[in-house]
Amino acid sequence: MTNAERDLDLAAVVDALCRANHGCGRSSAEPLPSPDEVIGMMEALRRVLFPGYFGWSELTPETLCYHLGHTLDQVRRTMQTQVKRGLVFAPPQADGGETDTQRRAGAITDAFVERLPQIQALVASDVQAAYEGDPAANSPDEAIFCYPGVLAVTNYRVAHGLHELGVPLLPRMITEHAHSTTGIDIHPGATIGASFFIDHGTGVVIGETCLIGDRVRIYQGVTLGAKSFPLDADGNPVKGIMRHPIIEDDVIIYSGATILGRVTIGKGSVIGGNVWLTRSVPPDSRMTVQAPRQDAFESGGGI
Amino acid sequence: MTNAERDLDLAAVVDALCRANHGCGRSSAEPLPSPDEVIGMMEALRRVLFPGYFGWSELTPETLCYHLGHTLDQVRRTMQTQVKRGLVFAPPQADGGETDTQRRAGAITDAFVERLPQIQALVASDVQAAYEGDPAANSPDEAIFCYPGVLAVTNYRVAHGLHELGVPLLPRMITEHAHSTTGIDIHPGATIGASFFIDHGTGVVIGETCLIGDRVRIYQGVTLGAKSFPLDADGNPVKGIMRHPIIEDDVIIYSGATILGRVTIGKGSVIGGNVWLTRSVPPDSRMTVQAPRQDAFESGGGI
Amino acid sequence: MTNAERDLDLAAVVDALCRANHGCGRSSAEPLPSPDEVIGMMEALRRVLFPGYFGWSELTPETLCYHLGHTLDQVRRTMQTQVKRGLVFAPPQADGGETDTQRRAGAITDAFVERLPQIQALVASDVQAAYEGDPAANSPDEAIFCYPGVLAVTNYRVAHGLHELGVPLLPRMITEHAHSTTGIDIHPGATIGASFFIDHGTGVVIGETCLIGDRVRIYQGVTLGAKSFPLDADGNPVKGIMRHPIIEDDVIIYSGATILGRVTIGKGSVIGGNVWLTRSVPPDSRMTVQAPRQDAFESGGGI
Amino acid sequence: MTNAERDLDLAAVVDALCRANHGCGRSSAEPLPSPDEVIGMMEALRRVLFPGYFGWSELTPETLCYHLGHTLDQVRRTMQTQVKRGLVFAPPQADGGETDTQRRAGAITDAFVERLPQIQALVASDVQAAYEGDPAANSPDEAIFCYPGVLAVTNYRVAHGLHELGVPLLPRMITEHAHSTTGIDIHPGATIGASFFIDHGTGVVIGETCLIGDRVRIYQGVTLGAKSFPLDADGNPVKGIMRHPIIEDDVIIYSGATILGRVTIGKGSVIGGNVWLTRSVPPDSRMTVQAPRQDAFESGGGI
Amino acid sequence: MTNAERDLDLAAVVDALCRANHGCGRSSAEPLPSPDEVIGMMEALRRVLFPGYFGWSELTPETLCYHLGHTLDQVRRTMQTQVKRGLVFAPPQADGGETDTQRRAGAITDAFVERLPQIQALVASDVQAAYEGDPAANSPDEAIFCYPGVLAVTNYRVAHGLHELGVPLLPRMITEHAHSTTGIDIHPGATIGASFFIDHGTGVVIGETCLIGDRVRIYQGVTLGAKSFPLDADGNPVKGIMRHPIIEDDVIIYSGATILGRVTIGKGSVIGGNVWLTRSVPPDSRMTVQAPRQDAFESGGGI
Amino acid sequence: MTNAERDLDLAAVVDALCRANHGCGRSSAEPLPSPDEVIGMMEALRRVLFPGYFGWSELTPETLCYHLGHTLDQVRRTMQTQVKRGLVFAPPQADGGETDTQRRAGAITDAFVERLPQIQALVASDVQAAYEGDPAANSPDEAIFCYPGVLAVTNYRVAHGLHELGVPLLPRMITEHAHSTTGIDIHPGATIGASFFIDHGTGVVIGETCLIGDRVRIYQGVTLGAKSFPLDADGNPVKGIMRHPIIEDDVIIYSGATILGRVTIGKGSVIGGNVWLTRSVPPDSRMTVQAPRQDAFESGGGI
């Protein structure tokens, strides 16, 4: 590249970009959470929750505790650092100094680690649900290894655990990583019971204030969303309102169905594919689209 | 981190996690297939199937055979190892000892390698279909490089080849990798003819027992699924039943259409966008949604 | 592996694969653009557009210019090389020799770099729109870090900048990378105004000739597609026709809506979820699906 | 590169190189030990022998066992694989089949692992000797971190452990790695007592049949070599003869000294710098070079 | 590996190793300096001191400052962290708390950065001396790229700068890395003037209290060492005594020469190869070995 | 790091460093050879010269040509690029334009590749010499895998091949890499016959104009150097004069011997350890140091 013959004033571009960013708030010297560290920590937790499936092989009962303990200790350090960075985005507390934030991050991390056995029990129930719910599944191993739904729900369960402990930003980074990998978008704030199974999953969206019971099964393209949200006096959306559906135990929702607003889908109901629902239905309902009349060709829909 | 002031009993957590997993079956010393190895093998096969596009550059006719031979020999070794690990999940056979499994894995691998020229011919037809089917495509090179549909179908063709040879788990790992990358979920058991093109593709689901002819074109969000599946006496889904659609030659299915059950879409039919179909249609059918009445605003659908 | 007992004639397979490829056009010695390099360049541009969020931390106003200048200079060299490789796919020009292509690639690169401050202003407006448009967003930082819509639109803005300068192939590689990561498929040829927000996003498709105004908001599963496209005398699709919708300022389109053809959605309109639209609507329209009757259970839709 | 204008017949070169190698013995399908794996295993052992110094940080007494156990289990698997590959070079035994070699490799590996505590005690004595023997050393930590002599002797102690168990090739790979890193060349067959310290070390050579006592200190450039070696009837060197020096306890050998042949340096002796010695000396000897007369300049010695 | 048939009690080995290490001082939770980070920092400084030779290419005067500033800012952060870790080994000071150590590390780092231009001037003089002093050198570029002496002296100059600022451990890590790479062992405490050239260099040792003038040239295998060192009442070496040679300006020392003790080699002297010197010599001395008589063959010296 | 409280003016340091370097010649936009690329190329050549030992395993006669051809084609491209960059340092030629340099680099590369079979024959003779010359060697495999002398001589043979073709800089980079790894410093300009063996090797220096016959064996610490070199009118060393020894066939030189100047060591001679020689000796000479008198202890030589 012979720059002599160029007109580009690189310094002017750099200056313009710098000026624009000075006002944008990240000129703070406080380091942000690192996406790579957070994702690496999630992968380590996956090894802990499914020992022998990811990362290690040839485990024996004798050596399992070494590998678990080793990984868990690493997770703990990484989590404390990243949680501490994330707390920059939390409402300030008491002292708020470096040492105080460090201490809070440590306490949150330890509380999370103590919950891991419960999280493990939940993901084990999810794996079993996947194996039992899909006639194409040949073994629970296949579900653990290959099922995007299992991956996304595992990430959600970890993210939800951190969310409940008041950690900002990190839970969303963890569920977005699953979203990117699977096309399944579960907000870490949602509450989901045991034995949850999402099949295929691409396009599934589960909103922040959803409340989902046990043994629920969902297919690709299902939206559990908000109908609308009220604005405050300044025209900004009011945050924190219960605006997503309640799905009771043993409900099945087939592909492409959309359920909007704080409605309740009663226990044991079945919502058919492509159904559009903005009202509550009682237990054991069977909702299906009555297929609209389909006639002569009109429009292509190609792009 | 000053651990002195902490209450966390890490050893207790490790013990709890270990105990829970002892009963979960992967305390076996048999190594599982490695996702990284399997994906790396698939990427190597992509270089073999599209020489000059991925991984190597500046190929000449004189040196092509060296690069192909080199990569194919590496693929062969990796495949044999991974197939052998996958066979742990296959029904046991005759002898079933270490040596026997090794031998079976070798035979499967060689049979697959011998089919590669046919697979190459199929993917070449898919690329041509992509170029011809999309007015936005400027060259077949662009289709090879940038089209998620081409990537997903190539992975499917390799996975299907292994599936036909009775390899467990690996085919699903290969198609799930494409699913993760493209949002296109094709079961390796599906049967798909030449010149197959999926445009955009996000949300496409093609079920295990689908039978798809030649020159079929599909758009994003199309589901070729099962209507329902019978349960056995124990309430488990019966495996292996023909439960997905048959799509004959020269069919086009536009975005968002859903076709469920063992129905047949006759040769040359066009299925319009968002059509919901649970019955067979004769050749040259034109099915479209008669747009339902659309009135005043009712619900937001935001989340 | 004891090859002695095998029948596989590896040389025959290699020969078959080589023969097949000789006629396929990539036996040219001209190197193709490298996906890894192009993606790496896009990631470097993301660091430039959002300094302090990705890749660097602890920036201060004093050191910002060094990091920006360093990265921008690297981007410039990578871009020149990759653009030059991409120009192989452009219509030939004047001289067309090595030196001429090198010079054209340099001029394009410099023109792009000079536009970066404008692109930065646009992406800043997109981030603000994301924060304001989602009640679940806690800070603009969260939008930058975690929102797939922000990632996809940033990639689009860079790709569109290169597309406007006549660069082949690279723009598509950049938007396809976002498509793979987010499930949002925006053609680099589309024209999109400021403050654009896509929420959740999986399954969104925005076609090549779309024209989108300012402050438009779109949800997951929305298609802005072509109704059909005319074929030329040879039966090939005619390229370059305006065939996708015009979306005017301040329009909101809810999840799953499909808008096809060169129709115009008037300023300030709201298109409800799952609406299927193939005609223009005037400003301030409110289009919603009148939910079809939903009765007794008929079909499952599982797969 | 336009190959058209070249004369190079690449295929002819490849053929010539292939033909030449066919007779060279490594066309066997038996895999060789992997230098990378062996070196990685040695680095893992260094972490085990010096926990907290290399690779891990922030160890606590509670978590130490997890990290040690984890690493040791990995070392064990790697070692078994590499030892098995190395056994190809050992004299054949009994059965000699795949399974038998696997079993022998497992037994050797376990025997080695059981010796690790003794090896650890020896390297701890070496570190203490380094700290005490060098006035420039500020702490044992500095010796562990920075002293090439400590690194080389640690590698030797591991290699010697494997050598004693009859492992071919691997011990030499381990000491040669230290040789490359430090310039200190200790044959794994040498026998060396506790509290051994080599300062600076570049150019030190310690031969295969050396016998070195406790608390010996050696400086850079010291050779403990063979005077000459007898040839057999075919003119090949006779292998396995005791041909290197015996250095008794508490001996110091200063830089550049050369001691050749099966001679004995008596307990507590001090061998001065540059001394050339081919005969035994009694305990407490003080050998020094009487500096030769040094006069007017004669020759440069530059290169 | 079938562990069933083994006797190895891995847990017992782990326990033995853990017990042994509990008393060894590194169970502290204070993290140690990271060799990888320190070496990476040194490599970054090499890029800063020789811009355009390592790591970056195609620098222009316009972009040089961006790359320098970027790298220097990174070096500064890394150095502050590593210096802080190193200060654990320094004598405790005043407050000694976390914040105080952080502050000291910051002050040291900034003081070092301010000295970089002087260090750069010195290494430039060294490069020129290498080019002028070796008839085999074709350009200063070759000296920068390929001469181990230039590499080792550059590392020394950086290490010495940190040593002068009272940083423990890190300087030694930096010179030991050069020692490992080149076989040249320069203690960071030595004082060396401008235009210093070491040719070939393997086996050179320069002790802690050496004082070397300007324009000195040294060849491989030269030792500038201590004659002996006094012990204190406990029999430990007394630290900090001036015990290595003073080499005045313009001295040349040929390969293999050994100079021991606090002697002075007068300005402009030439010390011949293999000379052994333990007394001072006046300016302009010419010391050479009078070759000892060499007769009939006596001893081999093979190993 | 709170920069607020700092005085460091980073910009001033950056400016000072930039100013100093502007005059230093590497502000040219011409890229330099990349050490990483050159070393990687050398490692690829080692795989080509010793197929099955490094990088590949489980080669069969059928697949050997693929791996060799693949690697050789890669080497060829890398070499052409790096040679072209190196030619910047060669005397300018004829045209000297970009295209001309490209062409020269291509011609040199092809000429080198054609010589590879001869180089392979030489390194095979070196391996055999190592196996036969060391009683501690158990197999030629051990020599290939573990002997620093074999590594250094292989690098020399490749470097010498490039040196003979007039390539600047690269040959020295290749031999310096070996020097760094082994402590053996062979100038690429030296001429060395077949079956050359260097044992242990640390500290060996072989000068630019050495002429070494067949079947020569050398031990650690041997210098084949220049006695002195004449200066030109400007006081600079005259380049290109024959100033290093001639070593005829079948000579053995034991450790620490120094031979200086254009002297000839006659065929079949044996030079004993530590001998210092500045004159020619006739064939079959036996030169040894008559050990100087060694008395009471005088000086330590510790450092």
Side-chain angles (χ1 to χ4, degrees), chain A residues 57-58 60 63, chain D residues 73-81, chain E residues 1:
Chain A
S57 61
E58 307 182 53
T60 61
T63 60
Chain D
D73 193 45
Q74 288 185 324
V75 162
R76 198 183 171 197
R77 289 172 205 293
T78 306
M79 190 177 284
Q80 184 176 10
T81 302
Chain E
M1 171 156 40

Side-chain angles (χ1 to χ4, degrees), chain B:
Chain B
M1 172 153 42
T2 49
N3 289 282
E5 37 174 308
R6 296 282 182 73
D7 301 324
L8 174 63
D9 184 351
L10 187 66
V13 174
V14 170
D15 283 354
L17 290 168
C18 286
R19 262 199 315 281
N21 273 283
H22 275 183
C24 141
R26 283 310 307 157
S27 57
S28 144
E30 205 68 59
L32 290 171
S34 154
D36 285 351
E37 292 286 313
V38 172
I39 299 316
M41 180 185 86
M42 180 63 225
E43 294 312 317
L45 281 169
R46 205 183 313 283
R47 291 202 297 279
V48 165
L49 293 170
F50 300 110
Y53 288 90
F54 302 100
W56 315 316
S57 60
E58 308 181 53
L59 284 182
T60 61
E62 288 75 25
T63 60
L64 179 57
C65 80
Y66 295 133
H67 296 288
L68 269 178
H70 165 77
T71 303
L72 213 47
D73 192 46
Q74 288 185 324
V75 162
R76 197 183 172 198
R77 288 171 205 291
T78 306
M79 188 176 284
Q80 184 176 9
T81 302
Q82 298 301 319
V83 166
K84 185 183 156 210
R85 294 181 172 197
L87 287 175
V88 173
F89 299 96
Q93 286 207 355
D95 159 336
E98 165 91 8
T99 310
D100 184 56
T101 311
Q102 175 87 3
R103 197 194 48 69
R104 280 174 65 200
I108 287 169
T109 297
D110 285 1
F112 177 83
V113 169
E114 276 171 344
R115 287 186 196 187
L116 269 174
Q118 290 110 289
I119 290 177
Q120 188 191 38
L122 283 170
V123 300
S125 77
D126 299 330
V127 167
Q128 194 61 24
Y131 174 56
E132 290 174 357
D134 181 9
N138 295 305
S139 67
D141 299 280
E142 191 175 347
I144 293 172
F145 250 149
C146 304
Y147 275 46
V150 170
L151 186 151
V153 175
T154 304
N155 276 34
Y156 154 76
R157 297 222 182 267
V158 166
H160 184 64
L162 290 167
H163 176 93
E164 282 189 304
L165 291 163
V167 180
L169 220 55
L170 270 67
R172 185 70 185 254
M173 291 166 86
I174 291 169
T175 54
E176 269 306 320
H177 183 64
H179 184 195
S180 169
T181 306
T182 66
I184 299 170
D185 183 356
I186 311 177
H187 195 286
T191 305
I192 302 179
S195 303
F196 184 53
F197 176 42
I198 301 173
D199 202 4
H200 309 294
T202 309
V204 165
V205 177
I206 298 177
E208 184 181 14
T209 63
C210 279
L211 199 58
I212 298 179
D214 292 340
R215 294 171 304 281
V216 169
R217 188 160 19 129
I218 283 183
Y219 289 85
Q220 72 270 20
V222 165
T223 292
L224 304 179
K227 195 165 156 186
S228 69
F229 38 81
L231 306 182
D232 64 18
D234 301 331
N236 292 324
V238 180
K239 315 235 161 188
I241 288 186
M242 296 295 133
R243 61 197 186 281
H244 299 99
I246 296 168
I247 312 294
E248 295 185 346
D249 295 348
D250 301 303
V251 168
I252 301 177
I253 309 174
Y254 285 105
S255 68
T258 303
I259 305 176
L260 301 180
R262 191 56 165 191
V263 302
T264 297
I265 307 301
K267 184 171 192 305
S269 293
V270 176
I271 309 300
N274 277 18
V275 162
W276 176 272
L277 205 53
T278 59
R279 58 177 174 84
S280 294
V281 300
D284 294 314
S285 298
R286 295 287 177 276
M287 304 300 293
T288 87
V289 169
Q290 167 124 19
R293 193 158 40 89
Q294 294 170 335
D295 329 80
F297 182 70
E298 235 184 52
S299 73
I303 295 159

Side-chain angles (χ1 to χ4, degrees), chain C residues 177-196:
Chain C
H177 183 64
H179 185 195
S180 169
T181 307
T182 67
I184 299 170
D185 183 354
I186 311 177
H187 195 285
T191 305
I192 302 180
S195 302
F196 184 54

Side-chain angles (χ1 to χ4, degrees), chain D residues 189-237:
Chain D
T191 304
I192 302 180
S195 302
F196 184 55
F197 176 41
I198 301 173
D199 202 4
H200 308 295
T202 310
V204 165
V205 176
I206 298 177
E208 183 181 15
T209 63
C210 279
L211 198 58
I212 298 180
D214 293 339
R215 293 172 304 282
V216 168
R217 189 160 16 128
I218 283 183
Y219 289 84
Q220 73 271 20
V222 165
T223 292
L224 304 179
K227 196 165 155 186
S228 69
F229 38 82
L231 306 183
D232 66 15
D234 301 332
N236 291 324

Side-chain angles (χ1 to χ4, degrees), chain A residues 8-271:
Chain A
L8 175 63
D9 184 351
L10 186 67
V13 174
V14 170
D15 283 353
L17 290 168
C18 285
R19 261 199 314 281
N21 272 284
H22 275 184
C24 141
R26 282 312 306 158
S27 56
S28 144
E30 206 67 60
L32 290 172
S34 155
D36 284 351
E37 291 286 315
V38 172
I39 298 318
M41 180 185 84
M42 180 64 224
E43 293 312 317
L45 281 169
R46 206 183 312 282
R47 291 202 297 279
V48 166
L49 294 170
F50 299 110
Y53 289 89
F54 302 100
W56 315 316
S57 61
E58 307 182 53
L59 284 182
T60 61
E62 289 75 27
T63 60
L64 178 57
C65 79
Y66 295 133
H67 296 288
L68 269 178
H70 165 77
T71 303
L72 213 46
D73 192 46
Q74 289 184 325
V75 162
R76 198 184 172 198
R77 289 171 204 292
T78 305
M79 190 177 283
Q80 184 175 8
T81 302
Q82 298 301 319
V83 166
K84 185 183 155 209
R85 292 180 173 199
L87 287 176
V88 173
F89 298 97
Q93 288 209 352
D95 159 336
E98 165 91 6
T99 310
D100 184 57
T101 310
Q102 175 88 2
R103 198 193 47 71
R104 280 174 65 199
I108 287 169
T109 298
D110 284 0
F112 178 83
V113 169
E114 276 170 344
R115 286 186 196 185
L116 270 174
Q118 289 110 289
I119 291 177
Q120 188 192 41
L122 284 171
V123 300
S125 77
D126 299 330
V127 167
Q128 194 60 25
Y131 173 57
E132 291 173 356
D134 180 10
N138 295 306
S139 67
D141 299 282
E142 190 176 347
I144 293 172
F145 252 149
C146 304
Y147 275 46
V150 170
L151 186 151
V153 175
T154 303
N155 276 34
Y156 154 76
R157 297 220 182 269
V158 166
H160 183 64
L162 289 167
H163 176 92
E164 282 189 305
L165 292 164
V167 180
L169 219 56
L170 270 68
R172 185 70 185 255
M173 291 165 87
I174 291 169
T175 53
E176 269 306 322
H177 183 64
H179 184 194
S180 169
T181 306
T182 66
I184 298 170
D185 182 356
I186 311 178
H187 195 285
T191 305
I192 303 179
S195 302
F196 184 54
F197 176 41
I198 300 173
D199 203 3
H200 307 295
T202 309
V204 164
V205 177
I206 297 177
E208 184 181 13
T209 63
C210 279
L211 198 58
I212 298 180
D214 293 341
R215 292 171 306 280
V216 169
R217 190 163 13 132
I218 284 182
Y219 288 85
Q220 72 271 21
V222 165
T223 294
L224 305 179
K227 196 166 154 185
S228 68
F229 37 83
L231 306 183
D232 64 17
D234 300 332
N236 291 324
V238 179
K239 315 234 161 186
I241 287 185
M242 296 295 130
R243 61 196 187 281
H244 300 99
I246 296 168
I247 311 294
E248 296 186 346
D249 295 348
D250 301 305
V251 167
I252 300 177
I253 309 174
Y254 284 106
S255 68
T258 303
I259 305 177
L260 301 179
R262 191 56 164 192
V263 302
T264 297
I265 306 302
K267 182 170 193 303
S269 293
V270 177
I271 309 302

Side-chain angles (χ1 to χ4, degrees), chain F residues 200-215:
Chain F
H200 309 294
T202 310
V204 164
V205 176
I206 297 177
E208 184 181 14
T209 62
C210 279
L211 198 59
I212 299 179
D214 292 341
R215 292 170 306 281

Side-chain angles (χ1 to χ4, degrees), chain A residues 169 172-173 175-177 179-180 185 187-188 208 239 243, chain B residues 303, chain C residues 46 50 54 126-154 178 181-182 184 196-201 219:
Chain A
L169 219 56
R172 185 70 185 255
M173 291 165 87
T175 53
E176 269 306 322
H177 183 64
H179 184 194
S180 169
D185 182 356
H187 195 285
E208 184 181 13
K239 315 234 161 186
R243 61 196 187 281
Chain B
I303 295 159
Chain C
R46 205 183 312 283
F50 300 110
F54 302 100
D126 299 330
V127 167
Q128 194 59 25
Y131 173 58
E132 291 173 358
D134 180 8
N138 296 304
S139 67
D141 299 282
E142 191 175 347
I144 293 173
F145 250 149
C146 304
Y147 275 46
V150 170
L151 187 150
V153 175
T154 303
T181 307
T182 67
I184 299 170
F196 184 54
F197 177 42
I198 301 173
D199 202 4
H200 307 296
Y219 288 85

